[in-house]
């Protein structure tokens, strides 16, 4: 079934509160540790009422102009078909009510093997000490904590001017 479905034949939707348990179940089934961290927006793709791809964008516990993109995951049976790119493109083009870009400072942490994906989607490597120093404290601490377990984790950022 998965070989017949392409990213052009599905829609990305913003999750509702009713989707929360299904989202957490999806991540668990993918052996991915994901959690809601505060002021979260979740985007997902469903096929036959089953989540096959999802991403979370969080402002953190103390919202600032920065947003953290995390948990961008596609079910292993559907990888390589453009679903992650489709979710990311919706996030990158999301607008506020006044038609300005919603996520003007979007950061994410990813392994080096995913660098080409993020660079192709207009992110920049944001790894210097001076770059990291500009992040909100919560996101700096989160990055440092993750890097203790995954030393090859890099920070990527996408800035958009309206």
């Amino acid at each position: 079934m998965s070989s017949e479905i392409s990213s052009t034949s599905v829609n990305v939707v913003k999750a509702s509160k009713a989707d929360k348990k299904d989202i957490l179940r999806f991540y668990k089934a993918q052996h991915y540790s994901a959690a809601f961290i505060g002021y979260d927006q979740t985007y997902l793709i469903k096929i036959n009422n089953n989540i096959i791809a999802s991403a979370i964008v969080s402002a953190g516990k103390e919202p600032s102009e920065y947003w953290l993109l995390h948990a961008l995951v596609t079910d292993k049976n559907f990888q390589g078909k453009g679903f992650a790119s489709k979710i990311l493109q919706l996030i990158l083009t999301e607008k506020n009510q006044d038609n300005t870009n919603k996520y003007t400072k979007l950061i994410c942490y990813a392994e080096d093997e995913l660098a080409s994906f993020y660079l192709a989607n207009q992110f920049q490597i944001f790894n210097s000490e001076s770059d990291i120093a500009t992040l909100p404290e919560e996101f700096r601490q989160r990055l440092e904590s993750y890097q203790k377990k995954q030393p090859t984790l890099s920070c990527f950022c996408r800035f958009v001017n309206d």
Side-chain angles (χ1 to χ4, degrees):
M1 176 180 127
S2 66
S3 60
E4 301 168 12
I5 298 169
S6 72
S7 65
T8 57
S9 64
V10 297
N11 291 319
V12 179
V13 296
K14 205 182 267 192
S16 69
K17 287 187 181 200
D19 292 314
K20 190 173 183 176
K21 285 182 182 177
D22 288 340
I23 293 165
L24 294 174
R25 202 173 300 119
F26 165 76
Y27 286 121
K28 187 174 182 180
Q30 300 308 309
H31 305 285
Y32 189 89
S33 176
F36 298 106
I37 61 174
Y39 299 98
D40 304 296
Q41 299 287 315
T42 304
Y43 299 84
L44 50 90
I45 296 174
K46 287 184 178 182
I47 295 177
N48 297 329
N49 253 358
N50 295 310
I51 299 171
I52 60 133
S54 182
I56 302 171
V57 181
S58 300
K61 292 179 172 78
E62 297 293 327
S64 72
E65 59 194 342
Y66 283 88
W67 292 83
L68 177 64
L69 168 69
H70 59 110
L72 177 55
V73 175
T74 301
D75 181 297
K76 290 166 183 50
N77 297 316
F78 293 91
Q79 290 178 351
K81 298 181 184 305
F83 294 113
S85 292
K86 187 158 185 167
I87 288 176
L88 186 56
Q89 286 309 308
L90 180 82
I91 292 168
L92 297 178
T93 58
E94 182 87 9
K95 300 289 186 188
N96 290 314
Q97 288 179 342
D98 64 359
N99 207 32
T100 58
N101 287 306
K102 182 168 185 167
Y103 306 115
T104 57
K105 292 187 177 182
L106 188 63
I107 59 170
C108 69
Y109 314 133
E111 291 289 343
D112 292 340
E113 64 203 34
L114 293 172
S116 61
F117 173 77
Y118 287 106
L119 294 172
N121 283 287
Q122 305 164 342
F123 281 78
Q124 301 170 2
I125 295 174
F126 202 70
N127 264 349
S128 72
E129 282 186 38
S130 60
D131 288 340
I132 301 302
T134 65
L135 295 176
E137 180 70 19
E138 177 183 1
F139 293 155
R140 263 197 325 273
Q141 289 176 350
R142 191 173 288 275
L143 176 61
E144 290 167 6
S145 172
Y146 293 162
Q147 285 177 327
K148 287 178 184 171
K149 297 174 192 161
Q150 298 170 276
T152 59
L153 205 63
S154 292
C155 183
F156 296 87
C157 189
R158 182 174 183 270
F159 294 119
V160 175
N161 296 322
D162 286 316

